Amino acid sequence: MPKIGRFTSDEAKTNFLRIYDAGAERWPIPSTVLDVETSFGTTHVRKSGSGKGAPVLLLPGISGNGLVWQRFIEDFASERVVYTPDVIGWPGRCVQTAPVRDGADVAKWVVETLDGLGESRVHLAGNSLGAWMATMVGVYHSDRLASLTMFEPGGATFAKPKWSLLLKFLATGMRPTPERMRKLNAWLTPRADLTEDEFAMVMASLKFRTGMPWDRVLTDEELAAITAPTLVLFGADTVVNNPEIGAARARQHIPSADVQIYPGIGHDLLWANQEVVIPRFLDFADNHDRVRN
């Protein structure tokens, strides 16, 4: 049954927001914070950068928030406006008031956030589970996208998730001690070395009960409905998905898919190859930007 995201206690909420606000103070470039009303509640959004092209909107991976992009924002926002929202129903500064029931609702939430920001079209990109959420917008509202990018899409985007992935999450979730969480992070994203502050936010997020649906495998018809220019980037050594299956389905069914698999890199694609992946994305955005072309 769909639920409203919530912390397990007032103490847990206070602790998380203390860590969150301390992290927000370390945002490396000038930014503006906006709170946008949607039919699902209030979405908390940070706006950074400037430029004439269509803006970028970035969605984080599982249970993340807009501060995840802190270490990458200077590159993403070098020539464009970049929006980094928290995800409604996940731990952050959004305030959820209505359930997000399925992929169509995910897309509706993103589009209503764009409406509140006054943006008709954006270059939408998501990492991991955020890539699946971004893809939902492509399925239902490609007309709102200048382009769609998936960074290492989540395990259920193109095929059923691996049992090894599910078992790892289940085993860690039963008793999520700091040691177990560090081992899980090292397995998932071995070169994403979290700072102590980032890890503290991960641990604080564990005391939040999500109100966002889990990803599910997209059908051939859903993939074919994505008419926006689409970039899909995989790490060949990922433990999350099968990049060969994902690449084949994207190329076969998404009309304008540009797919690349990076050898020697896993689910930590952005962390391990930032100097290559972000320029690849920005070049793709430039090539599909109606404002500039």
Side-chain angles (χ1 to χ4, degrees):
M1 181 176 179
K3 300 178 180 179
I4 303 297
R6 61 178 180 83
F7 285 96
T8 57
S9 67
D10 290 341
E11 181 182 4
K13 179 179 180 179
T14 298
N15 180 55
F16 174 87
L17 292 179
R18 176 183 57 79
I19 296 169
Y20 180 102
D21 290 343
E25 290 180 0
R26 293 188 291 272
W27 195 256
I29 61 176
S31 63
T32 303
V33 172
L34 307 163
D35 289 304
V36 178
E37 294 302 321
T38 75
S39 59
F40 302 99
T42 304
T43 303
H44 188 75
V45 186
R46 185 173 296 274
K47 178 181 180 181
S48 307
S50 62
K52 295 181 180 179
V56 169
L57 190 144
L58 300 172
L59 296 175
I62 184 170
S63 293
N65 55 64
L67 297 182
V68 166
W69 303 101
Q70 186 168 352
R71 63 170 72 194
F72 308 114
I73 191 61
E74 290 179 278
D75 290 342
F76 276 113
S78 59
E79 296 183 3
R80 290 180 182 272
V81 170
V82 178
Y83 295 107
T84 49
D86 292 351
V87 175
I88 207 153
W90 283 359
R93 280 205 165 273
C94 293
V95 180
Q96 187 178 16
T97 57
V100 181
R101 301 176 186 277
D102 51 25
D105 275 357
V106 172
K108 183 180 179 182
W109 163 67
V110 173
V111 166
E112 289 182 357
T113 299
L114 294 181
D115 290 342
L117 294 170
E119 301 291 355
S120 59
R121 298 170 75 251
V122 296
H123 296 284
L124 178 61
N127 180 62
S128 191
L129 186 50
W132 176 81
M133 292 190 290
T135 304
M136 289 296 99
V137 183
V139 171
Y140 292 100
H141 298 283
S142 270
D143 59 306
R144 300 300 297 269
L145 302 182
S147 72
L148 167 66
T149 296
M150 306 179 217
F151 298 117
E152 252 294 300
T157 302
F158 290 104
K160 291 183 179 180
K162 298 177 180 180
W163 278 109
S164 58
L165 179 67
L166 297 176
L167 290 173
K168 285 275 188 180
F169 272 100
L170 179 63
T172 303
M174 292 177 63
R175 192 163 63 88
T177 64
E179 181 181 5
R180 285 171 173 247
M181 288 303 300
R182 288 189 187 278
K183 287 182 178 180
L184 179 66
N185 286 339
W187 180 71
L188 284 171
T189 54
R191 280 174 284 187
D193 294 326
L194 299 183
T195 66
E196 289 301 317
D197 295 324
E198 288 171 331
F199 186 72
M201 185 173 294
V202 169
M203 294 304 298
S205 297
L206 296 174
K207 294 186 178 181
F208 189 90
R209 299 294 176 258
T210 183
M212 175 63 70
W214 291 101
D215 51 343
R216 58 169 180 76
V217 180
L218 276 77
T219 66
D220 294 348
E221 293 74 20
E222 287 173 325
L223 292 173
I226 301 171
T227 58
T230 302
L231 178 65
V232 189
L233 304 179
F234 294 96
D237 297 339
T238 181
V239 296
V240 170
N241 56 61
N242 185 316
E244 296 298 336
I245 292 176
R249 291 199 69 213
R251 289 176 176 136
Q252 181 177 1
H253 298 294
I254 300 176
S256 60
D258 183 347
V259 183
Q260 186 166 351
I261 301 175
Y262 290 90
I265 293 174
H267 198 55
D268 49 3
L269 179 68
L270 275 166
W271 286 261
N273 210 18
Q274 176 179 346
E275 69 283 358
V276 172
V277 171
I278 296 179
R280 176 80 165 86
F281 162 74
L282 293 175
D283 286 346
F284 186 80
D286 282 345
N287 291 335
H288 296 91
D289 198 335
R290 290 181 187 174
V291 176
R292 293 186 177 184
N293 295 339

